Every structure is written in C-alpha cells, then in structure tokens.
Amino acid sequence: MAWVYLLIASVVEIMMAIALKYAHGWTRLVPSVIGIAAAAASVLFLTLAMRNLPAGTAYAIWTGTGTVGVAILGIFLFQDALSPLRLLCITLIISGTIGLRVLDA
C-alpha cells in the first residue's frame, strides 16, 4: 500500500505545480486554493508512504516523479522548451527513480 500512497502523492504533487502555474502568482483564487489543497494532500500521502518506505527513497521518487510529470506537462500545456538535452535530463531522472525502486525491492 505504501507504493500506492507514493503514487498518489506524486500525482497530486504534479497537480499542485500545474495549479500554481495557473494561479499566476496567487492572483487567481481557484487555482491558488487548488494548489494549496493539492500540496497538503501530497505531503499527507507522502507521509503515509514513508511509514513503510525508506525516507530517502520515498522522497527521491516523489520529487523525481513530480519533476518529470511537471516537465512533460509543461511542454504540452505551456509550450516549455523541448530539446534533446532536456529529454536526456528527463530520462536520467526517470532512470534514477527506477533505480531507487529496484534497489529498494
């Protein structure tokens, strides 16, 4: 169940970052509230996951998954730059995340 909590925490973390982008520096109420609520929910699920997972592994996977998710959504939603070097960096983050999961098994 810890891995499910971590997955939920990661997805909600991505939602938080996207909501805050739409909040435009706290000038839009609804996305700001969604961002704050998502941040709290993400930390809650991360905490639940850390009951049974090593803290370093859980935190690294949470941040790595969030980073990759936001980077990919940023490309599609906000026309963030897409370059071979950027894709390489995303691939390295994914590789490290998978490596931590495999080593923790």
Side-chain angles (χ1 to χ4, degrees):
M1 195 65 186
W3 289 105
V4 173
Y5 287 144
L6 188 57
L7 176 64
I8 293 168
S10 298
V11 170
V12 177
E13 179 76 4
I14 294 166
M15 290 172 46
M16 181 268 310
I18 299 302
L20 293 181
K21 174 71 172 171
Y22 282 113
H24 290 281
W26 307 108
T27 61
R28 295 184 177 160
L29 180 62
V30 173
S32 297
V33 170
I34 290 170
I36 292 168
S42 181
V43 171
L44 170 69
F45 281 104
L46 175 62
T47 302
L48 294 173
M50 284 184 169
R51 286 180 179 170
N52 298 306
L53 297 174
T57 299
Y59 186 75
I61 291 174
W62 178 63
T63 57
T65 305
T67 300
V68 169
V70 173
I72 291 170
L73 284 174
I75 292 166
F76 290 103
L77 296 175
F78 309 118
Q79 291 72 48
D80 289 352
L82 177 61
S83 67
L85 189 54
R86 188 177 178 111
L87 289 175
L88 173 65
C89 292
I90 290 170
T91 302
L92 290 171
I93 294 168
I94 293 169
S95 299
T97 303
I98 292 170
L100 285 171
R101 170 62 178 109
V102 169
L103 292 174
D104 188 50

